Amino acid sequence: MDIALLGFGTVGSHVYELAKDRSDIKVSAVLSRRPRPELSCAVTADFDEIVRDRGVGTVVEVMGGVEPAMSYLTAAMRAGKHVVTANKQLMCAHYDELLALARECGVSLRCTAAAGGGIPWLTSLARVTRLDTVDAVEGILNGTTNYILTAMTQGGTDYAEALAEAQKLGYAEADPTADVEGLDARRKLVLSANLAFGVSVHEEDIPCVGISHIGASDVAKARELGCTFKLIARAERAPGGAAAFVCPTLFSVSAPEAHTDGAGNLVSLYARRIGKQSFSGAGAGGFPTASSVLSDCLAVQDGCGSYYTDRAEPCGVDNTSVRARWLTRINGAYRFEDCTAAEAFALYRENLASDPTALLARVAE
Ligand code: HSE
């Protein structure tokens, strides 16, 4: 099959590298703003050339951001081309429209690389939803923050230095705010919850706390408690729709999450009949992410349908039914609270008014 690559950054260049020696997938065109004489395929800065090229059956979008990616993918689908994307920001922002358009145009829309990097998380989740009812999804879904927390916990590295290393290794988003403030994990949670529950949740409805307030004294406090911090995204079915949030979480050092190091991800589903299933592996980085992209291309070639699910019922977020234990820090003082997630996030917003570096962390059961 002939594919066109939109974007040639970390993921795009690794897709090219992986496809280079294959006989079943050929990168026939690359959309790039600058000339790339080192490539042995057509290189163009004009997307219309790609969309008009009848030989290109699948468009692979690895450029990121909402525009122009949305316009390109929309045009590609309207031209009858299948679409594979690693773009979680775009998939979250236009979930309903993209699903509907793929169905209308009778083309495949795959985004396995958008959540879990190299882990076949979305495909596994889709498989389970055909057999069982998934009640909850939860996990470490951002490699950059996991890399930073691991470096701070195990190497005593400070936050800024660890973030710079994660950027150098190609894990972080173009704007790392999306990683450290939890937005990237939240987008991956939206895709996971939408698929798991057959719904359409809006990312802005999900309360989100990242890791930027975690400092050396918090790491020391966690150690004193026999725990370690991980950034966790969680969604579960709830009476008022879905309960969902992103928040640093304290895990006992013996928990599997505590042993998920570096840019690793660990994500679990909880289903009624089969129980808990967990998936772990590289959550970011060139080759792992590119592998998921190529695996989607192969799925398209095998005739995979429009999207992983046909269901996308509008769904609100309601965290009033989820109770947990929380650790807060305000003006240097730590306190434990036993309350609902809705109450904990409301308290955190109040705390921020008097201490802009206040901390909120859930304590894992
Ligand atoms: N910035 C993302 C991460 C890349 O660190 O997980 C993979 O989606």
Side-chain angles (χ1 to χ4, degrees), residues 207 236-245 316-324 326 339-346:
E236 62 186 67
R237 291 179 193 266
F245 52 84
V317 172
D318 181 352
N319 282 321
T320 54
S321 62
V322 179
R323 292 201 75 84
W326 308 83
C339 62
T340 68
E343 289 164 338
F345 284 95

Side-chain angles (χ1 to χ4, degrees), residues 88 141-144 171-173 179 184 188 283-284:
K88 51 250 157 171
L141 279 168
N142 180 267
T144 301
Y171 301 148
E173 297 300 298
D179 295 294
D184 179 81
K188 292 165 177 170

